[in-house]
Amino acid sequence: MKHLNLLVGGPTSQWPDQLTAGKVSGDWIGVDRGTLRLLNLGIKPLVAIGDFDSLSADELKRVKSAVSDIRQAIPEKDETDTQLAVTVALHEYQYDRLDIYGATGGRLDHFLANFWMVLEPRYRQYAPKIRFIDKQNTITFFAPGAYEITKEPDKKYLAFVTLEKVDNLTLPDEKYNLKNENVTRPISYASNEFVGDKGHFSFDSGMVAVIQSKD
Amino acid sequence: MKHLNLLVGGPTSQWPDQLTAGKVSGDWIGVDRGTLRLLNLGIKPLVAIGDFDSLSADELKRVKSAVSDIRQAIPEKDETDTQLAVTVALHEYQYDRLDIYGATGGRLDHFLANFWMVLEPRYRQYAPKIRFIDKQNTITFFAPGAYEITKEPDKKYLAFVTLEKVDNLTLPDEKYNLKNENVTRPISYASNEFVGDKGHFSFDSGMVAVIQSKD
């Protein structure tokens, strides 16, 4: 499975330990200050995206000398740098999975823009490839269907998050169950748990995010 | 204006400086580990909410001896401790404003459950009273109408966030404008800015959150 990672400029305090240790495998795209942080981890990104206006002159020089492909989003297009990075990742490179780090714990307008990106027509088909990963959470996205998911060993909690109207949401074998629930608005069914290592769920319309998390 | 604050158990690294310094005025309700953190700030909450199962025996003893009114949410009701705290604050006490601290930067299933709380029929009418505040963000909620908002001196960015279908969203005098935009899904119009100290906006249906933020 070909695997691409994005590092966005959110606080490093939210990084999972594996990233802090520089041990996340795969290719990288850097967004804003994330690019500099990748260089500090000894990782040279394929592409750097951002206006880098929060970097000092020396930091910017370092980014420019290390990365040949540097691009910038256009704010008027209501496109964030992270969205541009996802577009580049999905359209110019062929990856089966896209993991986004550094997108949490900072500006909430950015987090929500990125979280809801999967609802845009141009990204919707790619949603199942996208994950958000931080110190306490892994977010994955699902189109209508029936699924089996596997518990992450270090996570205790399991949440089913309806991003929009969702029909017939069924959670048959988790700690708290639902049967053919028609959900008419965004709800985070939080603090559920796996019973054992596997869980199943299904739904007929809309988009569902699954969040595995720990305290 | 009578003012109540809630402290939830999210990471203290996300607290605004004023809270870290113990200088936020008003009465308090503590949620989970937030209760212990209030006691550490020298603040005795009116009510403490949670099962406190993450506290040590000594910590729990301290909470129990300091707070006489301790309550717990029922997970099967899909109600988080924060939601119970908001119910208690709105129904048993009469406050004009409810500021929620400590709700960001930790578990995202919790953050989303709390953020979307205002869409539940039982909370919808109270949404304009509720704010979420952390180190980089202030979130406020608006019912349909026309509004003037004031820039917070320490914040640079302004976002308009449609929590659901929103008709005729108009941003007439911000850096980036919209005119009678019919928004059919949740979108965070991020990284907008005030032009001057005041801004106006209006919309005809649905719920909008405004986020003032800084890097």
Side-chain angles (χ1 to χ4, degrees), chain B residues 8-127:
Chain B
V8 187
T12 57
S13 61
Q14 298 304 113
W15 288 6
D17 293 343
Q18 211 185 357
L19 177 58
T20 308
K23 289 185 177 161
V24 176
S25 61
D27 295 322
W28 287 87
I29 290 179
V31 180
D32 292 321
R33 184 164 285 275
T35 302
L36 190 73
R37 289 178 180 151
L38 285 174
L39 297 177
N40 289 340
L41 289 170
I43 295 166
K44 186 186 279 199
L46 302 174
V47 186
I49 290 171
D51 59 9
F52 304 103
D53 60 3
S54 71
L55 301 194
S56 70
D58 279 354
E59 288 171 335
L60 184 59
K61 198 171 157 188
R62 213 175 131 213
V63 166
K64 285 189 170 168
S65 69
V67 189
S68 53
D69 189 350
I70 298 181
R71 312 188 201 181
Q72 193 176 338
I74 302 160
E76 286 79 359
K77 282 183 66 189
D78 291 321
E79 183 172 65
T80 66
D81 287 321
T82 307
Q83 286 168 306
L84 176 59
V86 170
T87 301
V88 168
L90 295 169
H91 292 180
E92 300 180 29
Y93 297 88
Q94 303 301 321
Y95 287 89
D96 306 302
R97 176 171 286 167
L98 191 60
D99 285 343
I100 304 177
Y101 295 86
T104 60
R107 280 175 51 194
L108 291 166
D109 59 336
H110 276 170
F111 168 70
L112 291 168
N114 295 329
F115 179 65
W116 283 329
M117 189 168 51
V118 295
L119 296 178
E120 288 182 47
R122 62 182 166 151
Y123 295 118
R124 192 174 271 268
Q125 64 174 305
Y126 302 111

Side-chain angles (χ1 to χ4, degrees), chain A residues 186-204:
Chain A
I187 293 182
S188 169
Y189 291 96
S191 300
N192 208 336
E193 297 178 34
F194 283 92
V195 176
D197 278 350
K198 302 280 185 188
H200 297 80
F201 71 101
S202 61
F203 62 105
D204 290 343

